[in-house]
Amino acid sequence: MASLTVRNLKESVKASLRLRAARNQRSLEEEVRIILEQAVEPEASEFGLGSRIHQRFLGLDADQMVLPDRPVVTPESCFAEDC
């Protein structure tokens, strides 16, 4: 892994980065690393729809997602209720 030193950074920028890192529950170093990685990643338009959807939901915890109840639809119930 490489190291990078950034000189002459405004204190206000550093303070904003610290706040952003705290909001995202990350260290300052990790937050800067993520920002840099996102800045140099290929544009989303270079990926297909499936890849973009995967990237969008990558960090979510599926076990904590609340999904609404959905009725069970069978071919028989469809004919009876005019689906």
Side-chain angles (χ1 to χ4, degrees):
M1 286 276 171
S3 294
L4 176 69
T5 302
V6 179
R7 299 185 197 286
N8 302 320
L9 188 64
K10 293 180 192 177
E11 283 298 322
S12 61
V13 173
K14 183 178 178 183
S16 295
L17 285 169
R18 283 192 184 281
L19 288 173
R20 179 177 167 158
R23 276 195 310 267
N24 293 321
Q25 299 178 341
R26 299 182 185 123
S27 68
L28 176 61
E29 182 178 320
E30 184 179 5
E31 188 69 25
V32 171
R33 189 171 33 251
I34 288 171
I35 291 169
L36 290 172
E37 287 171 356
Q38 289 174 348
V40 297
E41 281 181 350
E43 293 294 321
S45 62
E46 293 180 22
F47 296 109
L49 177 60
S51 297
R52 293 194 325 247
I53 292 172
H54 175 76
Q55 191 68 25
R56 171 68 175 92
F57 294 101
L58 189 61
L60 297 180
D61 184 5
D63 294 333
Q64 294 183 1
M65 293 178 69
V66 178
L67 300 175
D69 291 331
R70 293 176 44 187
V72 177
V73 178
T74 62
E76 296 80 21
S77 66
C78 234
F79 289 118
E81 299 174 17
D82 295 326
C83 289

